[in-house]
Amino acid sequence: MNGMPFGLWVKGDANLAEVSARAVAIVGSRAATAYGESVASDLAAGLGGHGVSVVSGGAYGIDAAAHAGALAGAAPTVAVMAGGLDKPYPPGNATLLQRVAGQGLLVSELPPGEHPTRARFLSRNRLIAALCPATIIVEAAWRSGARNTVSWANACGRVVLAVPGPVHSATSTTPHRLIRDAEAVLCTGVSDVLELVGPLGRPTAARPDQHRVLDELSADELAVYEAIPARGEIDTGEVTLRAGLPLGSCLGILDRISDRGLVEHGAAGWRLPRPAVTRAGD
């Protein structure tokens, strides 16, 4: 079954046009690893928190994890079926698919009574890719239905993202190859997706600040700071020896980094600041 379907069957209260207008497909291997399922679930939940719906195929593995993540975040999710909606497939995901219909939609281009076939799964992949502005592939072996979805996404002019995995993992072969061959953009989290699917000109969400106070220290200041033990106290002479600096310079640096709260002077010498103790009732 190629080309435009005669029509779509839907089950659920959501509006397919509205849901798919700001949606991302998350696809991947049925034989997913715990890592892949965790990433898919976290991505779906995080995207849902930013008003982005998730579309997938309702299968085991990455698909199920993506739907579950969206459901956990109370976000709409769409499962595209390879057969009629009267008997969602696979049967083992019947409860999950029922929840998807309650919070989003089940969609098929096949009427009730039709059963999934290999050709219909490939046709289903085309519909998944076409419904969304972007497709994320989380895990997939080299020969994979998810790889077919990516091919359709590229053919439809959609954005493709790929999640990296362990270099020795067979389930990450396709994402790694797609990134290497510039067929997909590296995806490490929700912010990477939002940058690509958000409207042009809209500020993207700020990434976590990676700046540390220690980054501002000079080489000598860092040497003095690292001379202070993690536990206990140390006198100035020992700090000088460990840092390899003259005594006068070391004293001046200790005063400066002490003013910045990085070290403090105790009864027996210099030490790292102790965490504040919270008393019961405070």
Side-chain angles (χ1 to χ4, degrees):
M1 189 174 185
N2 296 310
M4 184 181 297
F6 291 110
L8 295 177
W9 277 257
V10 298
K11 181 179 181 181
D13 295 330
N15 182 294
L16 180 59
E18 293 177 359
V19 171
S20 60
R22 186 166 166 78
V24 168
I26 299 180
V27 298
S29 175
R30 289 176 174 81
T33 66
Y35 162 78
E37 291 181 347
S38 175
V39 170
S41 179
D42 289 347
L43 279 173
L47 289 169
H50 287 84
V52 179
S53 306
V54 169
V55 176
S56 197
Y60 296 124
I62 297 301
D63 288 13
H67 291 307
L71 292 170
T77 182
V78 177
V80 183
M81 302 283 95
L85 300 185
D86 54 330
K87 293 183 179 180
Y89 184 89
N93 279 351
T95 300
L96 174 66
L97 294 173
Q98 185 176 5
R99 293 178 59 207
V100 169
Q103 192 166 303
L105 288 171
L106 300 182
V107 178
S108 178
E109 56 185 342
L110 295 162
E114 295 293 331
H115 301 287
T117 65
R118 185 178 185 279
R120 287 172 175 176
F121 276 115
L122 296 177
S123 181
R124 182 274 309 269
N125 294 341
R126 181 200 74 239
L127 188 54
I128 291 174
L131 279 172
C132 306
T135 293
I136 308 171
I137 183 167
V138 179
E139 283 186 326
W142 185 238
R143 295 184 180 276
S144 166
R147 178 68 177 89
N148 176 256
T149 306
V150 167
S151 296
W152 278 115
N154 282 322
C156 292
R158 304 302 197 242
V159 175
V160 176
L161 301 97
V163 175
V167 294
H168 299 298
S169 174
T171 54
S172 290
T173 300
T174 289
H176 291 165
R177 187 71 64 88
L178 292 170
I179 295 169
R180 189 198 70 179
D181 295 344
E183 292 185 56
V185 179
L186 177 70
C187 176
T188 61
V190 171
S191 58
D192 291 334
V193 184
L194 296 177
E195 286 179 3
L196 293 173
V197 302
L200 291 176
R202 177 178 293 180
T204 57
R207 294 178 180 268
D209 187 7
Q210 301 295 320
H211 178 74
R212 302 181 306 161
V213 175
L214 296 183
D215 295 335
E216 301 174 1
L217 299 182
S218 67
D220 287 350
E221 289 171 337
L222 189 59
V224 171
Y225 175 80
E226 292 180 341
I228 309 298
R231 296 183 180 180
E233 299 180 356
I234 183 173
D235 62 39
T236 305
E238 184 65 22
V239 174
T240 300
L241 290 173
R242 290 188 179 189
L245 296 171
L247 178 60
S249 298
C250 190
L251 282 171
I253 291 173
L254 284 167
D255 285 340
R256 288 200 300 273
I257 64 176
S258 176
D259 290 341
R260 299 173 72 172
L262 296 176
V263 299
E264 61 186 21
H265 199 276
W270 296 96
R271 68 189 181 202
L272 297 180
R274 295 176 178 175
V277 178
T278 301
R279 297 172 296 177
D282 285 358

